[in-house]
Amino acid sequence: MKNEKILVVGGAGYIGSHMVKDLLDSGYAVITLDDLSTGHRELVTGGEFIEGGLGDRVLLERLFSTHKISAVMHFAAFSLVGESVEEPLKYYRNNMAATAELLDSMIRHNVTRFIFSSTAAVYGEPVEIPITENHPRNPTNPYGKSKIAVERMLKDCDFAYGLKYISLRYFNASGADESGKIGERHSNETHLIPLVLEVATGQRENIKIFGTSYPTPDGTCIRDYIHVSDLTKAHLLALNALLSGGDSEAYNLGNNRGYSVREVIELARKVTGKPIPAIEADKRPGDPAVLIAGSDKIKKALGWKPDYEDLETIIKTAWVWHQKEATYT
Ligand code: UFG
């Protein structure tokens, strides 16, 4: 595998930058393509970096003509549910249409292995918990719809061109690399764990709990948090499967365990030793009460085993990163 060159699209983002690091640590050659619209150049820890978009035909043509790429990993998506409802075309243009351009260039250059960052949002409102891969896919927002559209596109490309792909449906990505050198950095942060930790560092005054009357034991939403390095570990296994001639598949990635918003805040208080004031607020539109992954399929098929099943440990890794981030500007 040492000589395989992997193109990581969106490698300057949160999950992509962890992927680049883990690919390099595993001995792969890496090219990162990122337009830096939401990514950060300094989070790309090595390999070659190309600034540009995945929908740029000319750039892709040059890239695939001059490099022998063994596989493409695609992390370059907009991923905010609320924003996708307000600006759907931004999502369909980038997440769907630009991905079609990328796939088209790949096929023309006979690059036929693809790992796709999909999401729990493809399932929509759960009809059963835990959510397995066979759960109906009825996304309720343009973000989830753009992702399921790509999953369907991939299936058609397999049939027509022999593209082999693995779609990884992430639940709530969280935590940071153990090195403390990379982590989650969003200019407009909306995710629970980073926001809670920004309260702990004093960057925010309090955390709002969006909804306290959900049909859950403490009234707040329950989510399945998965460490970013367990996500990248699954990508390495998926890559290995495809490079060894494996077939197309879709897998969930979560810990089969849910934590409520209140539990997350409580654990963050324990980890940080800070009071973290919380205030009860209205529900955020579109939030399902409970999202918990059934991830047995990837465990059985690829031997995936998470290293960070415990949320306290996940928050500890994020806390190391966020304390550093508090001094970054
Ligand atoms: N929450 C708060 N206060 C905040 C922020 C979040 O109470 O300030 C709550 C949310 O209402 C939700 C939970 O914390 O119940 C987690 O919210 P996040 O925004 O951290 O994550 P989501 O579950 O909304 O989103 C994640 C991914 C999306 C993906 C979605 C699938 O980030 O990309 O799961 O439903 F689409």
Side-chain angles (χ1 to χ4, degrees):
M1 297 296 165
K2 296 283 176 205
N3 295 321
E4 307 280 3
K5 194 180 274 187
I6 312 301
L7 174 63
V8 181
V9 186
Y14 169 40
I15 303 168
S17 61
H18 285 76
M19 191 72 248
V20 169
K21 179 179 180 292
D22 286 356
L23 282 165
L24 291 168
D25 288 351
S26 304
Y28 289 96
V30 177
I31 302 179
T32 295
L33 173 68
D34 199 301
D35 65 4
L36 300 182
S37 58
T38 56
H40 303 273
R41 175 69 184 86
E42 61 276 22
L43 295 183
V44 182
T45 48
E48 187 178 336
F49 180 79
I50 301 172
E51 185 171 343
L54 69 155
D56 184 339
R57 264 179 174 269
V58 176
L59 188 154
L60 291 174
E61 184 60 34
R62 203 178 331 124
L63 199 160
F64 285 114
S65 305
T66 51
H67 295 276
K68 190 178 175 324
I69 304 289
S70 302
V72 176
M73 293 186 174
H74 178 19
F75 299 87
F78 296 127
S79 61
L80 300 179
V81 169
E83 182 186 64
S84 81
V85 175
E86 282 160 25
E87 296 182 67
L89 291 178
K90 175 175 174 181
Y91 279 69
Y92 288 119
R93 192 182 303 119
N94 181 67
N95 295 6
M96 207 177 80
T99 301
E101 292 292 349
L102 172 66
L103 291 170
D104 190 48
S105 295
M106 284 175 57
I107 301 297
R108 277 188 290 109
H109 290 273
N110 206 25
V111 179
T112 55
R113 292 169 183 122
F114 189 73
I115 300 184
F116 179 57
S117 301
S118 191
T119 169
V122 298
Y123 296 112
E125 192 65 41
V127 295
E128 58 184 16
I129 296 288
I131 297 171
T132 65
E133 290 81 357
N134 294 326
H135 185 285
R137 267 139 278 159
N138 291 315
T140 52
N141 51 66
Y143 169 59
K145 289 175 191 173
S146 72
K147 289 285 184 176
I148 198 67
V150 172
E151 287 204 23
R152 291 179 179 138
M153 210 186 282
L154 292 172
K155 193 168 183 190
D156 292 341
C157 288
D158 185 350
F159 182 78
Y161 316 117
L163 178 82
K164 294 299 166 202
Y165 65 90
I166 293 184
S167 290
L168 296 172
R169 298 176 184 152
Y170 313 157
F171 281 64
N172 288 60
S174 46
D177 186 75
E178 290 272 11
S179 68
K181 288 186 181 145
I182 52 175
E184 189 164 11
R185 183 186 296 161
H186 295 121
S187 49
N188 181 19
E189 191 52 77
T190 64
H191 295 106
L192 180 63
I193 292 177
L195 287 175
V196 167
L197 295 179
E198 285 177 17
V199 179
T201 58
Q203 291 162 285
R204 290 175 195 269
E205 282 186 7
N206 53 52
I207 183 75
K208 289 193 176 70
I209 300 176
F210 293 148
T212 53
S213 61
Y214 284 98
T216 59
D218 69 16
T220 67
C221 285
I222 292 177
R223 292 290 180 274
D224 186 340
Y225 295 88
I226 174 165
H227 194 276
V228 60
S229 299
D230 284 329
L231 290 179
T232 58
K233 190 176 177 186
H235 282 71
L236 289 174
L237 292 168
L239 177 63
N240 196 37
L242 290 182
L243 293 178
S244 318
D247 215 345
S248 300
E249 264 303 350
Y251 298 112
N252 283 346
L253 284 174
N255 275 318
N256 299 56
R257 158 100 210 251
Y259 291 87
S260 74
V261 174
R262 287 192 206 278
E263 285 175 317
V264 171
I265 297 169
E266 208 42 62
L267 279 172
R269 287 180 179 134
K270 186 173 168 205
V271 167
T272 64
K274 307 282 180 185
I276 311 185
I279 49 177
E280 298 188 357
D282 290 344
K283 287 181 178 174
R284 188 171 67 177
D287 275 341
V290 181
L291 290 176
I292 298 175
S295 295
D296 288 350
K297 187 176 167 187
I298 190 165
K299 288 180 180 163
K300 285 200 188 100
L302 302 185
W304 177 69
K305 192 178 168 307
D307 292 320
Y308 301 86
E309 284 166 283
D310 170 42
L311 185 59
E312 189 175 333
T313 315
I314 294 178
I315 293 176
K316 274 183 191 156
T317 66
W319 179 229
V320 172
W321 167 251
H322 280 282
Q323 288 174 94
K324 273 191 174 167
E325 278 292 270
T327 57
Y328 163 90
T329 31

